[in-house]
Amino acid sequence: MRRGAFVLLLGLVYAVGSRGQNYNAVKGSPFAGSLGVSDNPASILNTPYPWDITLFSMQLQNTTNAVTFHPLSYLSHADSLDYSYKAGKLSRYASFNYNVHLLNVRLALNRRSAIAFGANMRVYGAARTGPANYNDTLQNMNQFFNINEGNTFNANMVSSSWLELFFTYSRTLVDNEVGRLNGGVTLKGTRGISGAYAQLNGGSVDRSVAGLQTIYLLNAGSARYGYSSNYDFWHSNRSTGQNLSDFLGHTQGGAAIDLGVEWLVKSQAVTNYADMDTYYHEYEWKISVSLLDLGANRYQYGSQSRTASGPKADVSDSALNAKFDAVGSLANFNDSLATIVNNISALTGSFTIWNPARLAINIDRPLQDRFAVNAGLTLNLGGANKGTRLFVKDMNLLTVTPRWETRNLGAYLPMLVTTDGKFWVGGAFKAGPVLFGIHNWANVFSKSKIQNGGFYLAFTIRPGNGFFTKENKKYSCPVN
């Protein structure tokens, strides 16, 4: 049995697979500008620039405990790359998110209101299994079942990708001697471009002995998997342009909303109205709360989406090896699956994947000499991916970021705890319009950590000093 076919079959029996914003360095920064809108729509008001434009930015974040790639880092790699799976009995997971921002514009209408708008592409994916034993030496299903006797197999995977156009409005709601309260809302129109999920529930086998040979027979379990129908319209005998037109033409629209507030506890020092830095840095504390990505994307089921249950009583491990040796396509896989279960049917209509809805709480504390520290807590609101309720989720749980920053320069040391308990120390720098950061320094200095981390890059243009608001004369000191 070829190893590729074995891995494909094992993916049905027990998936070991894979699962944006996250410009962690500038979270809470008054210089974040248009990059800050994805963390809190109210944040676009508390920045010293009358306008800024993120021409382009991208961010990638990934984590897994299932596989290790080596030797590979951001600084070096060998002529050939290798990988190894995590051996032993454990629950395996993998997740990733990726985003691209194009022409994200922030414009201050005045000191009390601001708007932002632009386009983004966002991709989230995740997979998770229950506890199971696995190692690189396994060659067939008999060996796999042998080291997992008595185990019940459960797994789920979900992925969603979409395009979004957004519009944000932020306004000062309260401004007094104690503090300033800004509120904001972002409305998003989305287009789901790719959706997929898979679920395995309650899989188990029975052990029997025939002479000197141990045989495993399927006993119980159900599976459900679906994908978006636009993949059915991609054909190898058509041009790339025609395929893209058909692929995007068979997508569905959606919507989402972000809500946020920021409370700035003011310094009691005398403020110079004309000094823009003083006005936007006058706070002792900045406390931000936001509800993000409240919405979903819908996808039409692809023609090969299926639900299956009730394994036939006589299906042995050797039969599984033979039936799934070289399926070659999902249609052939479905044909083979139909021979080993009592119930199988096509999934029709639409399915919904909810966006990574989350509550984000952020506290920012300016220090002396352009230093500051920021702390953020992210709580995912989505549930478990069971049945027909499907969610993608954010990977961040807790971030703490010391920073030194001026308008044109910045150095950052973000520290992150992921939802799966990994601790990363990253770094970033800003020089003029360029922001570059990594989520995990180990991606640079280690050749076996590239699968846990990621990076971000942004190009943002801002006006020079000559564009800033002039002093209102009623706040000027009288001339003697």
Side-chain angles (χ1 to χ4, degrees):
M1 181 179 182
R2 292 203 299 268
R3 184 176 182 83
F6 167 63
V7 172
L8 178 61
L9 177 57
L10 189 57
L12 173 66
V13 178
Y14 198 78
V16 181
S18 58
R19 99 148 205 139
Q21 305 309 308
N22 298 330
Y23 297 83
N24 292 329
V26 294
K27 288 181 183 294
S29 166
F31 298 109
S34 53
L35 280 177
V37 70
S38 57
D39 291 312
N40 190 326
S43 69
I44 63 172
L45 198 53
N46 193 64
T47 188
Y49 306 108
W51 59 265
D52 62 85
I53 303 172
T54 297
L55 298 173
F56 169 82
S57 71
M58 64 180 296
Q59 185 272 155
L60 170 67
Q61 192 176 44
N62 51 266
T63 185
T64 181
N65 70 343
V67 64
T68 299
F69 295 95
H70 49 82
L72 178 63
S73 74
Y74 286 149
L75 294 182
S76 65
H77 64 85
D79 292 335
S80 61
L81 301 177
D82 199 4
Y83 65 92
S84 58
Y85 291 106
K86 179 74 171 180
K89 186 173 184 178
L90 71 154
S91 297
R92 291 169 172 82
Y93 65 84
S95 64
F96 66 89
N97 63 65
Y98 172 76
N99 62 63
V100 173
H101 296 176
L102 294 174
L103 289 177
N104 284 198
V105 178
R106 187 201 66 87
L107 177 63
L109 304 180
N110 49 57
R111 282 196 171 185
R112 298 184 62 86
S113 59
I115 60 172
F117 54 89
N120 303 319
M121 181 182 76
R122 299 174 61 188
V123 182
Y124 282 78
R128 189 171 299 274
T129 74
N133 228 327
Y134 181 78
N135 62 65
D136 281 341
T137 65
L138 298 178
Q139 296 297 316
N140 54 53
M141 297 308 298
N142 185 281
Q143 294 176 4
F144 175 73
F145 291 139
N146 178 261
I147 64 173
N148 283 282
E149 283 194 11
N151 202 15
T152 299
F153 305 109
N154 296 284
N156 66 77
M157 180 278 291
V158 64
S159 177
S160 182
S161 308
W162 66 95
L163 300 173
E164 64 183 26
L165 298 176
F166 74 90
F167 177 83
T168 301
Y169 178 73
S170 178
R171 182 173 179 81
T172 298
L173 305 176
V174 176
D175 191 358
N176 55 38
E177 67 279 2
V178 176
R180 185 164 65 249
L181 178 66
N182 298 329
V185 58
T186 297
L187 302 178
K188 304 176 184 179
T190 66
R191 198 81 181 173
I193 59 175
S194 175
Y197 73 95
Q199 299 168 342
L200 173 67
N201 298 303
S204 64
V205 297
D206 286 333
R207 179 180 182 272
S208 63
V209 178
L212 298 177
Q213 184 178 9
T214 299
I215 300 173
Y216 296 94
L217 301 174
L218 292 187
N219 176 45
S222 62
R224 184 183 183 95
Y225 49 95
Y227 66 94
S228 52
S229 64
N230 49 347
Y231 283 98
D232 293 338
F233 296 90
W234 192 284
H235 301 286
S236 59
N237 60 349
R238 295 181 183 175
S239 68
T240 300
Q242 183 62 52
N243 277 326
L244 285 174
S245 177
D246 291 341
F247 187 84
L248 296 176
H250 290 84
T251 57
Q252 299 187 41
I257 188 171
D258 297 344
L259 302 169
V261 292
E262 283 193 342
W263 174 248
L264 290 85
V265 180
K266 290 184 177 180
S267 168
Q268 297 307 303
V270 177
T271 300
N272 181 354
Y273 184 93
D275 187 340
M276 300 300 288
D277 278 352
T278 299
Y279 179 81
Y280 292 105
H281 292 84
E282 68 174 355
Y283 61 89
E284 294 286 343
W285 297 89
K286 180 168 62 178
I287 303 170
S288 304
V289 179
S290 56
L291 286 169
L292 303 173
D293 285 316
L294 303 176
N297 287 285
R298 291 182 62 82
Y299 303 96
Q300 192 76 21
Y301 272 114
S303 61
Q304 299 302 317
S305 303
R306 295 290 186 271
T307 179
S309 62
K312 293 182 178 179
D314 59 347
V315 180
S316 66
D317 53 81
S318 59
L320 294 177
N321 294 335
K323 290 178 181 293
F324 295 92
D325 182 29
V327 292
S329 68
L330 185 55
N332 291 338
F333 180 86
N334 287 338
D335 290 341
S336 296
L337 180 63
T339 67
I340 67 170
V341 296
N342 293 310
N343 307 301
I344 185 169
S345 59
L347 293 170
T348 59
S350 299
F351 63 98
T352 298
I353 301 180
W354 292 90
N355 292 348
R358 57 204 184 276
L359 171 67
I361 303 171
N362 192 276
I363 299 176
D364 199 73
R365 171 65 169 169
L367 305 174
Q368 294 182 345
D369 300 323
R370 297 293 185 177
F371 285 95
V373 64
N374 182 271
L377 176 67
T378 301
L379 301 175
N380 283 300
L381 303 180
N385 286 301
K386 296 181 179 179
T388 58
R389 293 188 60 81
L390 306 170
F391 305 86
V392 290
K393 300 180 182 181
D394 196 76
M395 290 165 51
N396 287 3
L397 176 61
L398 179 66
T399 58
V400 177
T401 305
R403 70 175 185 267
W404 175 89
E405 188 178 37
T406 67
R407 290 178 182 170
N408 295 315
L409 298 174
Y412 315 85
L413 190 68
M415 292 169 279
L416 168 67
V417 178
T418 71
T419 53
D420 289 300
K422 291 190 179 298
F423 176 67
W424 299 341
V425 177
F429 69 87
K430 178 181 72 175
V434 178
L435 172 71
F436 176 75
I438 57 173
H439 292 303
N440 186 4
W441 276 117
N443 295 164
V444 176
F445 299 110
S446 172
K447 294 185 179 182
S448 61
K449 304 292 186 181
I450 198 70
Q451 66 279 352
N452 287 289
F455 68 93
Y456 43 99
L457 175 67
F459 295 91
T460 303
I461 58 173
R462 309 171 181 90
N465 291 341
F467 289 85
F468 285 92
T469 304
K470 294 182 179 180
E471 178 184 2
N472 190 319
K473 293 187 180 298
K474 73 177 183 178
Y475 293 98
S476 301
C477 294
V479 177
N480 293 327

